[in-house]
Amino acid sequence: MLTRRTLFLLMGGTALAAGGVAASRVGVQPEPPAPPSADAGGHLLWRNWSGIQHSYPTSRAAPADEGELADLVRKSPGPIRAVGAGHSFMPLVPTPGTLVTLDRIAGLDGHDAAALIAHVRAGTRLADLGPALSAVGQEMPNLPDINKQSLAGALSTATHGTGVNLMALHGNVQAFRLVTADGQVLDCDATQNADLFAAARVGLGAFGILTRVTLKNSPAHRVERRVWLQPVEQTLAEWPTLQAAHRNVEFYYLPFTGMTAVITHDETDAPATPRPPTQDNDAVMSLKALRDWLGWSPAIRRRVAKHVLSGLEPERVVAESWQLLSNERPIRFNEMEFHLPREAQVQALKDVIEAIETRRHDVFFPIEARVIAPDDAWLSPFHDRPSGSIAVHAYYKDDYQFLFDVVEPILRRHGGRPHWGKLNTLKTADFIALYPRFRDAMDMRRQIDPEGRFLNDYLRGVFTNA
């Protein structure tokens, strides 16, 4: 572990070696000021997890069941927006109208043990769904990195995990129920309301509000997680082999270190091992300390990091998959993630690393690379193509404009489609060019919600005609 004590000792040595020039802190920012807690009309503030999106809804609601939700949708002022954990960085949720949480429409609603099917209420948080499915011998085939999202929110934004043969979460949805703008409750699957099923499986909350989801799951398994550090050049060269060799594989590039942390998960019959406290959050803050104190000299920063990281031992742990694939992430950040044709991922990542390390010495958050299998949902970023994702993060106190200025042009140049919940500047014409069925989705949205009761200002910019 790169502790602050180790860092300070090493930093002092490098300063003396440089002729006694003391290190100076760079990049340190105060926490951005919060918006007022209420607007002039007395409406209370809603703010997303990272703090960059907010609004003052006129009405807030937490319906207890589907019938109450349907009645609310019929009568409440628009735009009507549903909110889960608020982990989207794009302005999907903000509304001056009605904000709806599904927290009371949560929990397992039945299962079929033989078919490995589970019916889940849409407000269920992923952290709660894992143990609930495990209790009936099932697990979701894949999970995202963070476990706080609601199921509806994760599906609606095409949230994903990693694995060359594993689809994003919505790829395993067999059916769902949707409350539409006129208060109808529709059952949708591949044969019943099939076009709506194709359009709203990744629906951004623009087609209606999900209430119940039918998932096709896998038998519950233990998995072995391994984590090790190695040079980025080695990881990029081995990336195709790693993808083929492991059920789940991803890696993080640690900026200004030349090193990656490779993480694999594979099914195992081995007994569970004691789970040590996670060191991920301490590691991120140690990288921040390295940036703060040595950001003035990328060369010394890299030298110190390599010296410390080279001594870290690999990690091995065995537990149920839901316990390891999704994690607690209390350190707030803002994020941009694009999904590229898989064959473009490595070169795009090289370009991103070079651009950041040439132009932005304040970046310290690890850059994440994952792989995702294709699916057929109309608004899925993985529609009809195997994908490799690149996610670049900025600490919530830091300026994140570099994501738009430096990172996004590279990812767009390589054919990337943005994660729906993460920062991007794309508009309707861009989505039409990137998604073969985007116009079909636009037509379906107009048909199901002709008055646009589920469209806030941002979504009008997504779904209006180019």
Side-chain angles (χ1 to χ4, degrees):
M1 171 58 59
L2 177 58
T3 65
R4 284 174 175 78
R5 175 175 172 79
T6 303
L7 174 62
F8 293 156
L9 289 172
L10 288 166
M11 183 187 68
T14 58
L16 288 173
V21 178
S24 58
R25 300 185 76 186
V26 300
V28 180
Q29 302 289 335
E31 183 167 351
S37 59
D39 66 7
H43 304 119
L44 298 179
L45 171 71
W46 173 86
R47 203 177 184 199
N48 77 328
W49 176 71
S50 72
I52 63 172
Q53 304 294 345
H54 75 278
S55 66
Y56 298 93
T58 300
S59 175
R60 297 176 185 240
D65 55 41
E66 192 175 73
E68 188 176 327
L69 173 62
D71 187 59
L72 181 149
V73 168
R74 279 192 296 268
K75 298 176 180 177
S76 296
I80 301 169
R81 298 300 301 154
V83 63
H87 269 265
S88 289
F89 307 99
M90 292 299 286
L92 293 169
V93 171
T95 176
T98 300
L99 189 65
V100 180
T101 176
L102 301 182
D103 283 353
R104 297 173 69 197
I105 305 178
L108 201 60
D109 197 32
H111 72 282
D112 182 326
L116 292 171
I117 292 289
H119 307 290
V120 185
R121 297 181 187 96
T124 308
R125 300 299 177 98
L126 297 182
D128 299 322
L129 183 53
L133 290 176
S134 178
V136 297
Q138 298 183 29
E139 66 179 21
M140 295 178 71
N142 212 350
L143 285 168
D145 181 60
I146 296 176
N147 64 10
K148 297 304 182 188
Q149 298 100 317
S150 69
L151 179 62
L155 297 175
S156 296
T157 54
T159 297
H160 63 97
T162 188
V164 69
N165 296 312
L166 298 173
M167 293 181 289
L169 272 61
H170 64 268
N172 296 292
V173 171
Q174 300 291 295
F176 57 73
R177 302 188 75 183
L178 187 77
V179 174
T180 64
D182 58 1
Q184 291 189 75
V185 180
L186 299 181
D187 289 292
C188 303
D189 58 29
T191 59
Q192 185 175 201
N193 296 308
D195 282 354
L196 182 57
F197 178 69
R201 225 178 320 158
V202 179
L204 312 180
F207 298 81
I209 299 178
L210 296 172
T211 61
R212 186 175 187 261
V213 179
T214 299
L215 297 173
K216 174 65 175 177
N217 292 316
S218 302
H221 289 98
R222 286 190 298 277
V223 297
E224 177 185 67
R225 179 176 70 193
R226 290 187 178 272
V227 184
W228 69 93
L229 295 173
Q230 64 184 32
V232 63
E233 296 84 3
Q234 179 181 350
T235 300
L236 294 179
E238 295 176 351
W239 188 224
T241 302
L242 288 167
Q243 294 174 41
H246 299 283
R247 190 187 95 161
N248 309 89
V249 62
E250 62 188 310
F251 68 88
Y252 289 85
Y253 175 69
L254 311 180
F256 296 94
T257 70
M259 301 294 286
T260 57
V262 182
I263 305 171
T264 63
H265 293 85
D266 292 291
E267 294 176 11
T268 182
D269 292 326
T273 61
R275 294 187 62 201
T278 179
Q279 297 183 351
D280 293 358
N281 300 312
D282 287 342
V284 169
M285 296 313 289
S286 294
L287 290 170
K288 179 181 181 298
L290 189 67
R291 185 280 308 268
D292 290 350
W293 288 99
L294 293 176
W296 54 275
S297 175
I300 296 177
R301 180 178 174 185
R302 185 180 298 265
R303 193 180 313 140
V304 171
K306 279 194 171 183
H307 178 81
V308 177
L309 294 174
S310 63
L312 296 182
E313 294 296 322
E315 172 193 305
R316 174 188 176 272
V317 63
V318 175
E320 292 189 59
S321 66
W322 66 268
Q323 295 175 308
L324 296 180
L325 289 173
S326 280
N327 304 280
E328 299 280 343
R329 297 291 188 213
I331 298 172
R332 288 184 284 164
F333 53 81
N334 292 300
E335 181 178 358
M336 175 176 286
E337 181 176 40
F338 274 66
H339 309 298
L340 304 102
R342 195 170 296 161
E343 62 274 13
Q345 183 186 27
V346 168
Q347 186 58 54
L349 181 58
K350 289 179 179 177
D351 292 349
V352 167
I353 292 170
E354 180 182 10
I356 286 175
E357 295 191 345
T358 301
R359 300 170 57 184
R360 295 297 307 216
H361 295 174
D362 57 333
V363 174
F364 71 88
F365 236 99
I367 299 170
E368 186 177 21
R370 292 180 281 181
V371 288
I372 309 95
D375 62 72
D376 61 358
W378 288 356
L379 295 181
S380 169
F382 320 108
H383 181 92
D384 203 29
R385 76 179 190 194
S387 300
S389 70
I390 296 174
V392 185
H393 309 72
Y395 187 51
Y396 80 107
K397 291 184 180 182
D398 289 351
D399 175 33
Y400 58 88
Q401 183 61 37
F402 79 93
L403 295 173
F404 303 110
D405 297 341
V406 177
V407 177
E408 187 178 48
I410 296 171
L411 300 181
R412 293 192 65 178
R413 186 171 70 244
H414 285 280
R417 297 169 177 163
H419 188 302
W420 283 110
K422 298 179 184 179
L423 294 169
N424 70 88
T425 61
L426 278 67
K427 301 297 183 185
T428 307
D430 303 307
F431 295 124
I432 289 172
L434 287 169
Y435 288 81
R437 303 300 299 270
F438 197 81
R439 287 191 184 277
D440 295 325
M442 291 172 65
D443 291 342
M444 176 53 64
R445 197 219 58 76
R446 280 193 298 267
Q447 178 183 329
I448 201 71
D449 180 19
E451 297 180 4
R453 283 177 52 74
F454 292 116
L455 297 186
N456 63 7
D457 288 344
Y458 167 69
L459 287 172
R460 289 188 185 279
V462 170
F463 287 108
T464 57
N465 282 312

